Amino acid sequence: MNGGADLGLSGGGRTDGWLLLSGLAADGLSELYKFVDLKRGRLHEVRIGIEEQRESQLEFLRRHLRGDPPYGLDRVEDLLPYLLHPHSFLETASGDLVVSFKQAPYLRILSAADGHPVWSPGPRGDVTGTLSSTNCETAPDTIAFTSTDTADRLRRYDVPDCPLRTRLMTYDRVTGAVETRGELPDFLIDTLHQLVHSPNGYFVGVDMNLSVLSGPDGVPGASREGVDVAAYAAGSFPPSAFVVADEHLKQLTVRTPSGACAAHAEIDPHDPEVFYISCNNISKWRTQIVLHGPGTIERYRYRDGTLTLEGNYSDPEFLRITSQHCFQHEGRRLLAVTGYPNKLYVLAAETLELVDRIVLFEEEHREPPFVCEKNSSAPLYLATSSDGRYVFMSGAAELFVVDLEARAVVDRVRFCPPGSFAATAHIGLVSDEAAARALVSHR
């Protein structure tokens, strides 16, 4: 495909394919999708306005949100960037790019050529269900997701023990059929953040609690001016849980991992009995992210309805761990994990032993707890090349290409001005076909 801006990648990006970087624009009014043609080193951008989605969400919030907005925010409008920013995407078997949002009632079909780029399980403009933030395919072009009752979620901000009704659902992109598989147990503190599916026929769904509990005088150490980090981090920060369920929701196991803020799950592509859970150990206050301490990653095996913890990894510099990816390089099964603010961790997938820790750039060490810097160079998300040699890492404005054989950053380029995004999303490689369809659909 012609056009686009030269990104300045050396070696043509060192692999074929396209890398998708996305997020919410700083003004909160548009979704931004940046497609990097790795073979040619070119950057193409799609910008999609979301005025209609913002208005329907605001109307619902004003009707159902009682009391002050969560996280110490001043106005219900301040909650929109948290709810409506692109969080992740998947490429379906037919080359559709399906985007999920942090807490929105719809999915974005980036490659839709039929004039229906926004899909919801309810009628157009319906915001009564909050969909999961990362979703999966259970079969070719069948997308599995969850829907949590949005009114329940808003009541939970004011009434902490309010139950959250959450359904597991599927959507067939070919036939348009929507199926409700059933209700999940009431284990959520926030909403379901990530849903993954194993070829062995089970689901893993992960909550992501970002809230320190309020006491009689409010959240300790927190005010509209910011946080007293020591007092705030000493408050009660309950760890979120995950659920493992069979295809028909007959066998359900809820487990709480050892670390706070469980967020992401990944099925091992080489052993479908195995999955990994990462715990970020971060919370949110107003527009700030507070890092409480080291993160944790845990390896589980699910066999014949029995869940077994097989190992875990953490160390004092294993911070925030926003993204993980299982891959293979030269016959070794590995796990790549981000380490805030300047590290790439490589772990052995079978044992979670440390294989390598690569420093991307010099940064002054800080002992947690602390407030994370905004619009920093810290890479929060990652993807790997098809041969496993290169790891692509991105943050608010920069793209890093790490050569695992050289143990070094071989490219560091800016893909947008700092401050362009209110929030960024998980990254990944997409096919030439999917990228071409998405760009043509949004000329």
Side-chain angles (χ1 to χ4, degrees):
M1 179 176 293
N2 297 322
D6 183 9
L7 196 55
L9 286 173
S10 64
R14 302 173 189 272
T15 187
D16 290 342
W18 295 68
L19 187 69
L20 177 52
L21 313 164
S22 59
L24 181 70
D27 62 7
L29 303 178
S30 303
E31 299 160 15
L32 291 178
Y33 300 94
K34 295 178 179 290
F35 290 82
V36 180
D37 183 346
L38 293 170
K39 186 175 182 179
R40 299 170 182 83
R42 308 290 293 179
L43 178 70
H44 303 256
E45 180 178 299
V46 170
R47 182 183 290 262
I48 300 174
I50 56 169
E51 289 286 356
E52 180 181 337
Q53 287 78 27
R54 283 172 54 88
E55 286 305 312
S56 59
Q57 194 81 358
L58 266 177
E59 181 184 352
F60 193 88
L61 287 170
R62 287 169 175 150
R63 286 205 317 263
H64 292 275
L65 183 62
R66 301 290 180 259
D68 294 330
Y71 311 120
L73 299 174
D74 298 313
R75 310 171 304 153
V76 292
E77 289 87 348
D78 298 332
L79 194 54
L80 291 180
Y82 173 70
L83 302 180
L84 300 183
H85 75 75
H87 177 265
S88 64
F89 72 91
L90 64 88
E91 180 178 344
T92 70
S94 295
D96 272 336
L97 294 179
V98 181
V99 179
S100 304
F101 297 81
K102 187 66 172 67
Q103 289 191 13
Y106 51 81
L107 303 173
R108 168 80 63 191
I109 315 297
L110 267 181
S111 46
D114 56 4
H116 300 287
V118 174
W119 180 85
S120 167
R124 182 183 176 94
D126 180 26
V127 298
T128 57
T130 298
L131 307 191
S132 34
S133 310
T134 295
N135 299 303
C136 57
E137 262 188 315
T138 57
D141 295 302
T142 299
I143 301 163
F145 62 96
T146 63
S147 178
T148 298
D149 186 277
T150 306
D152 283 355
R153 182 68 196 91
L154 298 178
R155 278 192 291 271
R156 174 66 72 86
Y157 287 135
D158 190 47
V159 184
D161 58 354
C162 172
L164 294 183
R165 291 168 290 176
T166 299
R167 297 173 293 162
L168 176 63
M169 305 177 72
T170 58
Y171 165 49
D172 189 319
R173 276 290 294 156
V174 176
T175 66
V178 180
E179 177 187 353
T180 298
R181 294 286 184 92
E183 298 282 334
L184 291 178
D186 181 24
F187 74 99
L188 298 171
I189 298 174
D190 199 87
T191 52
L192 200 129
H193 189 71
Q194 180 163 13
L195 181 71
V196 295
H197 178 261
S198 169
N200 274 24
Y202 67 88
F203 291 94
V204 181
V206 189
D207 189 5
M208 184 180 180
N209 174 48
L210 287 167
S211 299
V212 170
L213 290 183
S214 179
D217 300 318
V219 177
S223 69
R224 297 196 183 280
E225 287 68 47
V227 294
D228 175 337
V229 174
Y232 177 86
S236 178
F237 183 30
S240 41
F242 64 92
V243 65
V244 185
D246 69 296
E247 296 270 13
H248 305 290
L249 305 191
K250 300 299 183 185
Q251 289 185 308
L252 297 157
T253 302
V254 176
R255 178 73 64 89
T256 302
S258 61
C261 192
H264 299 115
E266 183 169 15
I267 305 294
D268 191 315
H270 308 289
D271 186 348
E273 289 186 349
V274 169
F275 63 92
Y276 306 89
I277 297 287
S278 61
C279 302
N280 298 359
N281 207 358
I282 59 173
S283 68
K284 179 180 175 67
W285 179 255
R286 294 178 68 80
T287 60
Q288 298 175 316
I289 296 296
V290 180
L291 199 155
H292 290 248
T296 305
I297 193 159
E298 298 185 338
R299 173 186 164 106
Y300 289 88
R301 185 175 297 275
Y302 187 66
R303 177 188 292 166
D304 299 327
T306 300
L307 181 64
T308 305
L309 174 64
E310 292 194 332
N312 58 45
Y313 180 83
S314 184
D315 74 39
E317 297 183 5
F318 199 52
L319 303 178
R320 197 164 176 177
I321 58 170
T322 320
S323 188
Q324 68 202 40
H325 183 59
C326 234
F327 68 107
Q328 187 163 311
H329 179 54
E330 295 185 339
R332 295 192 72 181
R333 291 163 53 193
L334 302 168
L335 198 64
V337 192
T338 56
Y340 185 89
N342 63 338
K343 295 178 183 66
L344 167 64
Y345 278 77
V346 182
L347 308 177
E350 296 96 329
T351 63
L352 293 187
E353 294 177 335
L354 181 65
V355 173
D356 207 349
R357 180 169 47 209
I358 300 172
V359 176
L360 308 181
F361 52 87
E362 291 303 316
E363 182 83 0
E364 183 178 350
H365 176 71
R366 301 172 67 190
E367 286 290 332
F370 59 81
V371 174
C372 296
E373 183 184 350
K374 294 179 184 177
N375 295 318
S376 72
S377 297
L380 301 179
Y381 307 107
L382 59 75
T384 60
S385 61
S386 57
D387 62 1
R389 176 172 175 175
Y390 298 101
V391 179
F392 304 96
M393 305 179 71
S394 77
E398 291 182 283
L399 172 64
F400 297 80
V401 182
V402 182
D403 184 340
L404 293 183
E405 294 181 6
R407 299 189 65 249
V409 175
V410 291
D411 268 314
R412 179 179 178 176
V413 297
R414 182 164 287 176
F415 59 85
C416 68
S420 297
F421 287 101
T424 50
H426 289 268
I427 67 175
L429 296 179
V430 301
S431 67
D432 290 345
E433 175 196 5
R437 286 177 58 196
L439 291 170
V440 166
S441 297
H442 294 281
R443 277 179 175 165

